[in-house]
Structure formats: C-alpha cells, structure tokens
Amino acid sequence: MSRPRPRPRTPKGQTRLIAFNKPMDVLSQFTDDTHWPGLKRYLDMPGIYPAGRLDRDSEGLLLLTNDGILQARLTDPKSATPKTYFALVEGVPTPEALEALRRGVTLKDGPTRPAQVAQVAEPGWLWPRDPPVRFRKTVPEAWLRLTITEGRNRQVRRMCAHVGLPVLRLIRWSVGPHTVEGIGPGQWKALQP
C-alpha cells in the first residue's frame, strides 16, 4: 500500500495576501448562490481563498491568501488573532452590559473569551450603506468598538444580543495588524504577508 504524498508546506510561487473590503450582502465565497453574489464579482484571482469568513450581513475586512499555512495561522483559534469590529447597536449600552462583554459571556456554544469593548462616536471613516438602511429613529443607537480573539459563527452579534444590545450594522475593521483603512467597499489591495 502506498502512502499519500505530503502536501507542500509552502505554495508554489510568491505568497499573496489580499485585503478586501467586503460589502454587505456579499458572500465570503467565490461562487454566487441563488440570492447573493460571491467574491468572484469583485476579485479575479485564481488560487486565493478567504482566510476565515465574514457573514453576508456584515461588512469590512476579509483577508484572502494563496498560502494554506498563512490561512491556518490567521484562522486558528489557538493563535488568538485579534479581530476588531465597529458595531452599531440598538439601545444605550450600560456599564453592566459593557463589563459583561469584557468578562466574556456564556453563549449556547459555551463561554466566550473576554472582549475589549468601548462605546465610541460614529467612526469618521464610515462609508454610507448601499442601499441606505433606515433604522427606527424612536430607539436610541450607539457605536461600540469590540476586539475579540475568537472567530465563532456570528460571535459579535450573539455577544451583543446576549447583553441586550442587538447589532444593526457590523463592520470588521482589522484582523491582526491588517486594517480596511483606505479601501472602499468592493475594493482590495495587496498586503505584505
């Protein structure tokens, strides 16, 4: 019986790392589905794949690479890569709600790691929603800046909902040292891996 050949430890050619500003309602996969467009409408780069995912209804930084080792390092929960988000939430954050997020909350899939969280002003770099969304103006809203070191499914949304602050808009600003600064929605730039 022959053993399978080991996979190469590094990709052939130069390692590529791409920062893409994923618009809302775009999937974190290259193929479209029946309702939503995929990444191929924005990126024509064979051999690169998302390093992690960003939900369809979230916006912001999505990293893509052709290096499986780099992809694993960016997404492995053991690496505790910090990911920073700006979340527009419904309601007024109380000190107790913010402290609960800082300690970590217990979700259906177990306790979360503590988050760094602060209430902030609306970001000055914020791009307009396309199409514009009107939220209920009779309910107060606030912006939070949260940094987590996990990447569970819809984690920021679930954590905020757990403390009574439903998320209305969620933008990933950074993954590790890489940010979406200067990249418009639907645009990308090459990064130094």
Side-chain angles (χ1 to χ4, degrees):
M1 177 166 80
S2 66
R3 295 187 331 180
R5 295 177 62 187
R7 296 177 75 191
R9 293 218 21 98
T10 56
K12 293 181 180 177
Q14 184 178 358
T15 297
R16 297 184 72 192
L17 182 61
I18 304 297
F20 175 63
N21 186 345
K22 187 190 88 60
M24 187 167 169
D25 292 333
V26 173
L27 302 175
S28 292
Q29 62 190 36
F30 278 90
T31 55
D32 297 348
D33 76 3
T34 55
H35 303 289
W36 311 107
L39 298 174
K40 71 179 177 184
R41 297 196 185 189
Y42 299 90
L43 299 162
D44 183 19
M45 298 179 188
I48 65 164
Y49 303 95
R53 56 187 296 268
L54 195 55
D55 296 321
R56 175 198 55 80
D57 54 352
S58 297
E59 311 164 67
L61 182 63
L62 181 65
L63 296 177
L64 301 101
T65 183
N66 63 341
D67 185 331
I69 296 167
L70 177 58
Q71 183 182 31
R73 191 170 68 234
L74 289 168
T75 59
D76 186 354
K78 292 177 186 173
S79 70
T81 302
K83 300 163 194 74
T84 299
Y85 297 81
F86 284 87
L88 176 63
V89 296
E90 183 179 285
V92 177
T94 63
E96 296 79 17
L98 297 178
E99 185 56 33
L101 294 170
R102 290 181 187 118
R103 285 192 314 267
V105 297
T106 301
L107 304 174
K108 289 183 180 179
D109 54 354
T112 67
R113 292 178 187 157
Q116 295 176 15
V117 62
Q119 185 172 347
V120 296
E122 180 177 311
W125 49 261
L126 191 64
W127 53 83
R129 293 272 302 251
D130 186 29
V133 175
R134 300 199 191 284
F135 300 115
R136 296 182 296 165
K137 290 301 171 193
T138 58
V139 177
E141 300 169 350
W143 281 94
L144 299 179
R145 179 185 172 123
L146 299 102
T147 301
I148 60 172
T149 57
E150 299 175 277
R152 297 186 200 181
N153 185 36
R154 301 180 72 77
Q155 181 175 344
V156 171
R157 290 179 187 278
R158 293 189 299 139
M159 288 176 73
C160 289
H162 184 82
V163 297
L165 298 168
V167 173
L168 303 172
R169 185 176 184 188
L170 185 62
I171 302 166
R172 182 159 57 198
W173 170 254
S174 67
V175 176
H178 308 293
T179 72
V180 75
E181 184 174 12
I183 308 171
Q187 298 177 346
W188 62 272
K189 75 174 181 179
L191 300 174
Q192 188 67 28

